[in-house]
Amino acid sequence: MKREKPKLVSEDGVRHDGRRLDELRPVKMEVGVLSNASGSAYVEFGKTRVIAAVYGPREPPQRYMVLPHRAVLRCRYHMAPFSTDERKNPAPSRREIEISKVIREALEPVVMSEAFPRTSIDVFIEVISADGGTRTAALNAASLALADAGVPMRDLVAAVAVGKVDGYLVLDIDQVEDNYGEADMPVAMAPSLNMVTLLQLNGVLSPQEFSQALNLALKGVNEVYKLQKETLRNKYLVRVE
Ligand code: CDP
């Protein structure tokens, strides 16, 4: 039996969880949360929670991976079996392999890998709780964890997904909005480099809606970027009284 689509946006533009159309979920960020990694970060967007750990630059575990002119960046995105409603199979799925690849490609332009030839920089991301937007939360955490590890970077990568729900363009869609919505578009940027490093679109948008959705994503990305910088500043800025 087909489940009936719930109404997710009211006539006055209020979403099912009380947010405005252009509002992020409550965001929390913290760096240096793990003692055994070179760098780490915890990021929460509502009920989506992820943790990222960075190791390196270090000698690659497998010698064949060595590149003579730069470090190899390796990323693993993984969803914990307890992160979803129904226990997720812990084995890496095709979806996780694909998301790991797009996360790596979204980070590569900002990591100064040329400074560390013949090494690897490894990013492990674990989704602890999934409620939509896990790849964008994962990217935000990975970027913070790289900075926390002291890896030289040209910029941070900040990410958020926009979607179309009940005909409205909305910022930072959650799982219900993703399940019942008409479109889902995760976007990542290196804002200071003015570079979009990830853009995916599932669903259907007109070219006009696409352009409005991109602008909404850029607004969200800048808010996330500000929070990332604040998080790093709070940890690392030493006040000289
Ligand atoms: O998480 P993100 O939006 O980046 O990726 P998605 O593939 O569009 O998945 C949307 C949401 O579906 C995830 O955030 C999870 O909440 C949920 N999901 C799940 O419950 N079980 C899976 N195996 C995959 C996704």
Side-chain angles (χ1 to χ4, degrees):
M1 202 174 72
K2 205 163 179 281
R3 263 185 294 169
E4 205 163 301
K5 179 182 169 304
K7 190 162 169 51
L8 292 172
V9 184
S10 71
E11 277 77 33
D12 40 4
V14 179
R15 292 155 76 177
H16 75 104
D17 57 358
R19 278 187 290 159
R20 297 187 314 271
L21 302 176
D22 65 348
E23 194 175 337
L24 296 173
R25 287 174 281 183
V27 179
K28 277 193 198 147
M29 295 179 179
E30 199 181 334
V31 285
V33 294
L34 299 172
S35 53
N36 289 335
S38 318
S40 57
Y42 169 81
V43 167
E44 182 177 306
F45 277 68
K47 285 183 273 177
T48 288
R49 302 188 180 109
V50 304
I51 199 155
V54 168
Y55 291 84
R58 63 179 179 180
E59 199 172 315
Q62 285 98 19
R63 297 199 109 241
Y64 68 86
M65 287 173 22
V66 157
L67 290 178
H69 305 301
R70 65 172 180 91
V72 176
L73 182 66
R74 301 192 305 164
C75 293
R76 191 192 77 159
Y77 160 102
H78 183 252
M79 279 176 119
F82 50 78
S83 64
T84 54
D85 276 356
E86 282 170 39
R87 175 184 172 276
K88 189 215 147 261
N89 184 333
S93 61
R94 285 184 55 155
R95 172 180 170 274
E96 285 166 305
I97 294 167
E98 187 235 320
I99 294 180
S100 299
K101 177 177 180 283
V102 297
I103 287 177
R104 173 173 56 75
E105 288 171 345
L107 292 169
E108 260 168 350
V110 301
V111 174
M112 298 176 76
S113 50
E114 65 282 5
F116 303 97
R118 311 187 71 80
T119 66
S120 80
I121 300 170
D122 301 325
V123 185
F124 297 97
I125 303 147
E126 202 64 26
V127 178
I128 303 168
S129 164
D131 190 40
T134 61
R135 78 193 63 202
T136 48
L139 258 171
N140 293 325
S143 169
L144 281 174
L146 282 162
D148 184 50
V151 172
M153 290 159 84
R154 295 180 181 84
D155 198 1
L156 292 167
V157 170
V160 72
V162 293
K164 185 177 170 189
V165 179
D166 289 350
Y168 293 91
L169 293 175
V170 299
L171 184 64
D172 187 22
I173 57 168
D174 65 15
Q175 173 148 15
V176 178
E177 292 174 326
D178 190 5
N179 287 351
Y180 292 102
E182 297 94 75
D184 162 27
M185 189 171 93
V187 177
M189 270 200 87
S192 299
L193 300 179
N194 200 28
M195 207 185 256
V196 176
T197 68
L198 176 138
L199 195 150
Q200 299 182 297
L201 172 61
N202 295 309
V204 179
L205 294 176
S206 69
Q208 292 76 13
E209 284 170 337
F210 174 75
S211 140
Q212 286 166 10
L214 186 60
N215 281 331
L216 185 57
L218 298 191
K219 172 191 174 295
V221 156
N222 280 311
E223 287 175 35
V224 173
Y225 188 52
K226 227 172 119 189
L227 293 170
Q228 285 175 309
K229 287 195 290 187
E230 256 171 48
T231 305
L232 289 169
R233 240 182 250 127
N234 287 342
K235 169 107 198 273
Y236 288 107
L237 200 69
V238 179
R239 245 175 254 283
V240 181
E241 299 292 347

